[in-house]
Amino acid sequence: MAMFTLAIDFGTSNSAVAVHDGSAVRRIPVAEGEDTLPTAVFFPADKGAMRIGQPAVRALIEGEEGRFMRALKSILGTALFHEPRLIAGRRRTLAEVVTAFLADLRTRAEARTGLRFTRALSGRPVHFHNDPERDARAEEDLRGCYLGAGFTDVAFMFEPEAAALAAQGLTEGTGLIVDIGGGTSDFSVFRVEEGRVRILASHGLRLGGTDFDQTVSMSHAMPLLGHGGALTRSMGKGLLPVPNAVYLDLATWARIPFVYSPETRRLVADMLKHAVDARAIGRLQKVIGEELGHSLAFAVEKGKIAANSGANDARINMAFIERGLAAPIGAASLEEALAGQRAPLRMAMEETLRMAGLGAAAIDSVVLVGGSSLMGLVTSEALALCPGARQLRAEAFTAVVDGLAIASRPA
């Protein structure tokens, strides 16, 4: 009897599962008929059952009392991942939250297929972190979560290499996978030879869509909450700059749940007493007090997407903070905000080619994967590096899980 392996793309922003039945890849619709679901959880304040995916997002949008969390993958390999926190009336670690999320995926996959899964092939970025020790710790953290979720045999595969397997039908010759996800950017050079994919090199860096969101939030939205402003001194003359840390945390998806601490509330209250622009700091106090951080992050993400589509009159709608409040964002201001992230992407692609021992002219096709590969700076940098290559789009949100399923095909 064939032993089936569950292919799992546990992503920073979205997740998906699939299985290879021996003849073809079968994506498993684990949420409302969709092939993917948001990597998000919600713990109701009344201590009800944890919700994942779109129901978690809906609970946040509808203003239900509770704790919303997203981008948990970004915290793998850090001390914060194992630090107990009070979440919906109970102390839990983020490791327990991720374990519960993966266990839910496994239960749903088994219910949809009628199969029992004890083996998992999980995608992972080439580098969770730039530091090798922290990178290894992140994989062990994730392995521990899979084991806690009921899997007994867990293997990992680099996400761009999985995407290369899925791209086999798209291209021939030598290709470059450009996989820009929510938390990392990953690259693989591959060659299709006699119908088989051979990986020549893989590389990656910790930069992704959530970093784009953070940059846009800091440059466009946070100034309306007092970022960049000044405070009067308690004693003496002169002004002090408004502290930066609270804004960085509020602009970082993975850190938003932890900004609602008593210490932060006291800090913001003191900032308000000394604010030169009390109205702006008052908005910040409302965001912290009413826990509107994720609503703001979704608004920033929506504005970013609109500006990336070419709209010059897009806005980050912040009316939930103050009636009529909005931050203008257009293609030009988005480009200016993200300009500093072009060089790391370009250098990472160049390094991948160097590791493969190839020049840009040897690349026949650039295959774009991941939701954030839709960003204009990604496509333009790939085109500038490999102007003679065809630019192809794989299934942005499912190429990795498809490739994982191909790699786990039963013997």
Side-chain angles (χ1 to χ4, degrees), residues 18-29:
V19 65
H20 200 294
D21 64 8
S23 59
V25 172
R26 289 176 55 198
R27 295 177 198 153
I28 302 172

Side-chain angles (χ1 to χ4, degrees), residues 171-175 190-193 362 364-365:
T171 184
E172 296 180 351
T174 303
F190 67 98
R191 184 169 291 151
V192 179
E193 298 173 335
D364 300 306
S365 303

Side-chain angles (χ1 to χ4, degrees), residues 106-179:
R106 175 173 174 259
T107 298
R108 294 179 186 213
E110 291 180 340
R112 299 292 192 277
T113 63
L115 300 172
R116 182 169 179 268
F117 295 108
T118 59
R119 299 166 57 178
L121 177 61
S122 174
R124 59 150 291 172
V126 178
H127 300 298
F128 286 100
H129 299 277
N130 297 328
D131 173 68
E133 182 178 340
R134 183 176 286 188
D135 186 63
R137 194 183 316 135
E139 182 176 299
E140 286 310 301
D141 281 346
L142 188 52
R143 184 187 303 279
C145 291
Y146 276 110
L147 295 175
F151 295 97
T152 58
D153 184 355
V154 182
F156 293 94
M157 184 176 190
F158 287 154
E159 289 159 0
E161 296 184 5
L165 293 179
Q168 185 173 345
L170 286 177
T171 184
E172 296 180 351
T174 303
L176 170 66
I177 295 289
V178 177
D179 179 7

